[in-house]
Amino acid sequence: LCIRLIGNTELVPTLLLLTQHLSRLPAQHFAAHAERIACGTLVLVQEANLPHSGLCNIFALLRRISEFPAGVGACSASIECLNFWLSDDQELSRLLSLQQFPELLRTLKAFASQNSTPASATALSHLSTLVPQLARGARSLPVEAQSQWRSLWVPTLQALADIARDGSQKCSAQAFVYLQRLLLECGTELSLPWEQLEFSAWKETLEQVLVPLLQSHPAEGTANTALASSQEVATLRQANAAQLVCRVLLTHMPSWLRSSPDGFPVLFLRILHVLVSEATADKLPLVESLKNLLLVISA
């Protein structure tokens, strides 16, 4: 229907209503037809000038497809939809103007959370590059769209932090790499213009993204073997988070002290309190990061 009727603009709302019903199909039926659904959706995305409600329907449908990572063809067509929006400056500008960034972020995160699939690698890459491209003016977008990057930065970091905490081993490791790049890298085409970020933005990043990542713990109530395994994984990821927090503090501390001589000490003591409260005897890597931080600060 999408392919045959897409040229008839007055039928587009009806087609969008049908996609809304498709996303509610039982899992068995949805999985069986996911690739055809994804290909029809790609036609809709590329050929129709979708309204706000239509974009919401499409994003919901794409997220439903992400729940079936074994459907490689369906996931590939879905990623093509996302590539279409993200690679075309005009389409990306339209998405941002329609306030669709949260939907885009949720959908990228859904695919990035798959267990080491081609779709997850592409989605993770998009999560790591979009904000730096906007911040560096690498995209031909209206000025108001490019200036949005500061408001998009924390939600993007939050999505990557969620994958670093909950994703598969490979996805989690890659998410930590991208977090380090976004928070620490300087002087490259993918680094952010730090001079444009105020201390309040960094404070929000630490409080909403890095501190919760540092305080994350495995879920209670699982079987003993699974619990031991999940605790081991969580301890490793917490150590990675602690190392990242300490590196962020030490890297940006001089500029934070200059821009907020009263605010930085308060924030530093709060993060130090969190580090100390998490640093039990069986978490040696975390203790090591805390020790290094205190040694450098005291020097």
Side-chain angles (χ1 to χ4, degrees), residues 35-84:
E35 185 168 354
R36 295 175 72 185
I37 292 170
C39 291
T41 302
L42 181 58
V43 172
L44 264 179
V45 167
Q46 292 178 333
E47 302 296 335
N49 190 17
L50 298 174
H52 181 277
S53 59
L55 287 169
C56 292
N57 288 354
I58 296 297
F59 278 123
L61 197 54
L62 294 178
R63 286 195 294 274
R64 184 76 199 281
I65 292 170
S66 75
E67 296 172 12
F68 303 91
V72 177
C75 290
S76 177
S78 299
I79 289 294
E80 280 302 309
C81 292
L82 296 170
N83 287 342
F84 174 75

Side-chain angles (χ1 to χ4, degrees), residues 134-293:
L134 295 176
R136 287 287 175 193
R139 307 294 297 268
S140 299
L141 302 178
V143 176
E144 61 272 15
Q146 291 198 25
S147 63
Q148 286 186 42
W149 74 268
R150 293 177 197 80
S151 63
L152 308 182
W153 188 49
V154 171
T156 300
L157 291 175
Q158 184 65 70
L160 284 168
D162 289 344
I163 296 164
R165 183 189 64 225
D166 302 322
S168 66
Q169 183 177 348
K170 185 175 179 180
C171 290
S172 172
Q174 191 61 57
F176 270 114
V177 169
Y178 287 145
L179 281 170
Q180 288 179 33
R181 181 182 294 174
L182 285 167
L183 292 165
L184 298 168
E185 203 165 272
C186 182
T188 71
E189 61 181 18
L190 287 177
S191 63
L192 292 166
W194 301 129
E195 67 279 0
Q196 295 182 30
L197 274 178
E198 299 177 353
F199 175 73
S200 58
W202 281 109
K203 183 172 181 288
E204 182 184 3
T205 301
L206 285 158
E207 291 177 344
Q208 294 190 19
V209 180
L210 295 181
V211 169
L213 183 60
L214 189 59
Q215 293 176 312
S216 58
H217 299 282
E220 299 289 340
T222 49
N224 288 338
T225 307
L227 181 60
S229 174
S230 65
Q231 284 178 332
E232 185 178 337
V233 169
T235 298
L236 175 62
R237 295 181 183 187
Q238 190 181 45
N240 290 338
Q243 185 181 48
L244 179 60
V245 168
C246 292
R247 287 183 64 191
V248 168
L249 282 171
L250 293 173
T251 300
H252 299 289
M253 181 178 67
S255 63
W256 293 349
L257 275 170
R258 285 194 300 272
S259 60
S260 184
D262 296 325
F264 172 70
V266 176
L267 179 64
F268 176 78
L269 288 173
R270 182 172 169 228
I271 292 172
L272 191 63
H273 175 77
V274 173
L275 282 164
V276 170
S277 65
E278 296 290 337
T280 54
D282 60 332
K283 297 178 179 177
L284 290 178
L286 196 155
V287 174
E288 196 65 26
S289 291
L290 175 59
K291 185 178 76 173
N292 292 339
L293 176 66

Side-chain angles (χ1 to χ4, degrees), residues 80-98:
E80 280 302 309
C81 292
L82 296 170
N83 287 342
F84 174 75
W85 284 317
L86 289 165
S87 62
D88 186 286
D89 290 338
Q90 189 174 349
E91 292 297 327
L92 178 58
S93 176
R94 184 166 176 271
L95 271 188
L96 294 176
S97 68
L98 290 172

